[in-house]
Amino acid sequence: MTDDAASLRDWHQSHSAWLQGYLRRHLHVQAAEAEDIVQDTWLRILRLSLTDIASPRAFLSRVALNIFRDRRRHEAVSTRHRYLV
């Protein structure tokens, strides 16, 4: 196993539950949406080198927040499009 794969596994074990709780508390999302965002977060960082990241929770929360915002923007565009058609 490469160092990056080991780091990702360790991060996943150490921070997944925390990140789900963070999303539920701070963004007030339902459990299922929090799980989806956490899964998308891991997929987004899968190819990154994690060894240089000094603050994993700050990094993960920023990636998850960006995914949350992307989802909300997409929902808004979809809603506007539905009403225009």
Side-chain angles (χ1 to χ4, degrees):
M1 182 179 298
T2 67
D3 287 341
D4 286 336
S7 292
L8 184 63
R9 185 192 69 233
D10 292 344
W11 275 36
H12 188 273
Q13 290 174 346
S14 299
H15 303 298
S16 284
W18 169 84
L19 187 56
Q20 283 187 28
Y22 171 85
L23 293 168
R24 295 195 66 202
R25 280 188 311 277
H26 293 281
L27 301 178
H28 308 287
V29 298
Q30 297 296 316
E33 185 176 9
E35 290 175 17
D36 289 345
I37 292 172
V38 169
Q39 190 69 20
D40 288 347
T41 300
W42 295 120
L43 290 173
R44 192 168 285 185
I45 68 170
L46 186 62
R47 293 185 188 96
L48 300 178
S49 175
L50 305 177
T51 56
D52 295 333
I53 298 172
S55 191
R57 288 187 173 184
F59 177 75
L60 289 170
S61 62
R62 175 53 57 187
V63 172
L65 179 60
N66 289 342
I67 291 169
F68 172 80
R69 288 177 177 160
D70 289 346
R71 286 173 169 232
R72 291 301 184 263
R73 275 192 296 270
H74 177 74
E75 289 171 6
V77 168
S78 295
T79 300
R80 280 193 304 260
H81 179 71
R82 265 195 306 261
Y83 289 112
L84 292 175
V85 175

